[in-house]
Amino acid sequence: QVQLVESGGGLVQPGGSLRLSCAASGFASAEYSISWFRQAPGKEREGISCISHRDSKTYYLDSVKGRFTIFRDILANKVYLQMNSLEPEDTAIYYCARVGGFRSTCVDQKDRYDYWGQGTQVTVSS
């Protein structure tokens, strides 16, 4: 059974850091492109980062470039999102999701993702 489970969210002060974890089960996450999305209250869910299946090429939303880093632990079957220099605007529920299709590349369209985690809350506030 394919499953994605996020963890690592919490309350952090502006300028602080968090590391989110996306634990995959039921499939080898290294063979799929995996993205992180976030959804703030009253806003649409937006893709913020993706790591491709093969060469682990990474992509970032402009507003998080230089602050967030996506990476894999293949043995642990996890994908991480290291978030530094957090800002109040980063407050949202963060989701990881799998691009549908074995060895498919990173994509923007949300309807191309076939499995989603339940989300983890990140709150940046003093």
Side-chain angles (χ1 to χ4, degrees):
Q1 179 184 359
V2 172
Q3 200 171 14
L4 296 169
V5 179
E6 303 95 337
S7 62
L11 173 64
V12 63
Q13 292 188 339
S17 298
L18 282 174
R19 178 177 292 184
L20 304 184
S21 173
C22 174
S25 58
F27 72 103
S29 61
E31 299 294 342
Y32 290 81
S33 294
I34 303 289
S35 283
W36 284 95
F37 289 78
R38 67 185 180 188
Q39 187 165 19
K43 294 190 177 179
E44 289 204 7
R45 192 172 298 190
E46 63 177 353
I48 55 172
S49 187
C50 184
I51 185 165
S52 66
H53 69 87
R54 181 167 296 186
D55 55 7
S56 287
K57 193 169 182 181
T58 57
Y59 303 87
Y60 298 95
L61 186 69
D62 283 348
S63 62
V64 307
K65 247 178 227 180
R67 301 189 297 124
F68 291 9
T69 304
I70 189 171
F71 60 99
R72 293 182 188 276
D73 183 333
I74 293 175
L75 290 179
N77 208 20
K78 290 183 177 180
V79 174
Y80 296 94
L81 186 69
Q82 177 66 42
M83 307 188 296
N84 299 329
S85 302
L86 283 161
E87 304 167 352
E89 294 73 25
D90 296 316
T91 295
I93 299 175
Y94 284 69
Y95 301 87
C96 62
R98 188 183 86 167
V99 178
F102 185 69
R103 294 183 179 171
S104 294
T105 57
C106 286
V107 295
D108 293 331
Q109 304 94 317
K110 289 188 282 292
D111 61 3
R112 292 282 307 277
Y113 288 80
D114 58 358
Y115 287 93
W116 294 77
Q118 82 290 348
T120 186
Q121 176 71 48
V122 172
T123 302
V124 185
S125 174
S126 54

